[in-house]
Amino acid sequence: MDFTNIPLFERLTERMSWLAERTRVLSQNIANADTPSYQPKDLKPIDFEAEMRKLAPVEPARTSKKHMVGTVAPAGEFDAKKAKKTYEAAPVGNSVVIEEQMIKVSDTQMNYNMVVNLYRKHIDLFKTAIGRGGA
């Protein structure tokens, strides 16, 4: 069975690819920490709101005539975190801060591990559903 055609697994695979690429970019930043005039780079975060707009809206199924018709109003606008510049550039023009880059690498690694675990859990659920799951 090819799991890559299932939308959930497509999204998880895309997220893992993005996180792997971000790790590569952050490692380049760390490697160039002493390069004069080097500016750190980062990947543009995936726009969660735009991704959600691509999906068809989920509507409740009305299984009885007694069920009320209607939808829940959205709570409000999606509030994306804004990146803020908190560090200064070195006298040689390099603005790579190792501590900041290491925090980003650590955060990226935690997110990658989480996505891998989600992927593994969903594969295990499929195996259980078809009767091939382990104990």
Side-chain angles (χ1 to χ4, degrees):
M1 177 178 211
D2 186 15
F3 291 108
T4 57
N5 294 331
I6 299 172
L8 171 68
F9 290 105
E10 285 178 1
R11 296 291 180 259
L12 291 173
T13 303
E14 286 173 14
R15 182 69 175 163
M16 285 190 294
S17 297
W18 186 87
L19 290 165
E21 182 63 19
R22 184 173 193 224
T23 300
R24 188 188 67 75
V25 169
L26 294 173
S27 65
Q28 286 179 343
N29 291 344
I30 293 169
N32 288 296
D34 292 329
T35 304
S37 301
Y38 183 83
Q39 298 299 313
K41 297 167 183 59
D42 202 350
L43 295 182
K44 178 182 171 191
I46 296 172
D47 186 2
F48 182 72
E49 186 178 9
E51 290 296 318
M52 291 288 91
R53 273 191 245 116
K54 290 180 187 176
L55 302 174
V58 177
E59 296 182 17
R62 192 168 175 210
T63 57
S64 170
K65 292 181 182 180
K66 295 178 184 178
H67 290 166
M68 296 173 59
V69 179
T71 59
V72 178
E77 292 286 322
F78 177 73
D79 189 335
K81 292 182 181 177
K82 305 242 190 261
K84 46 186 170 176
K85 191 87 166 155
T86 58
Y87 298 103
E88 298 177 359
V92 292
N94 185 316
S95 60
V96 175
V97 177
I98 297 291
E99 293 83 5
E100 178 186 25
Q101 298 302 310
M102 293 304 293
I103 288 170
K104 288 180 180 181
V105 168
S106 176
D107 181 56
T108 303
Q109 184 62 45
M110 286 189 312
N111 284 319
Y112 189 87
N113 289 340
M114 179 189 65
V115 173
V116 167
N117 286 333
L118 283 170
Y119 199 98
R120 185 179 303 130
K121 293 291 182 184
H122 282 86
I123 292 289
D124 289 344
L125 285 172
F126 273 101
K127 286 180 180 179
T128 301
I130 62 174
R132 294 186 184 173

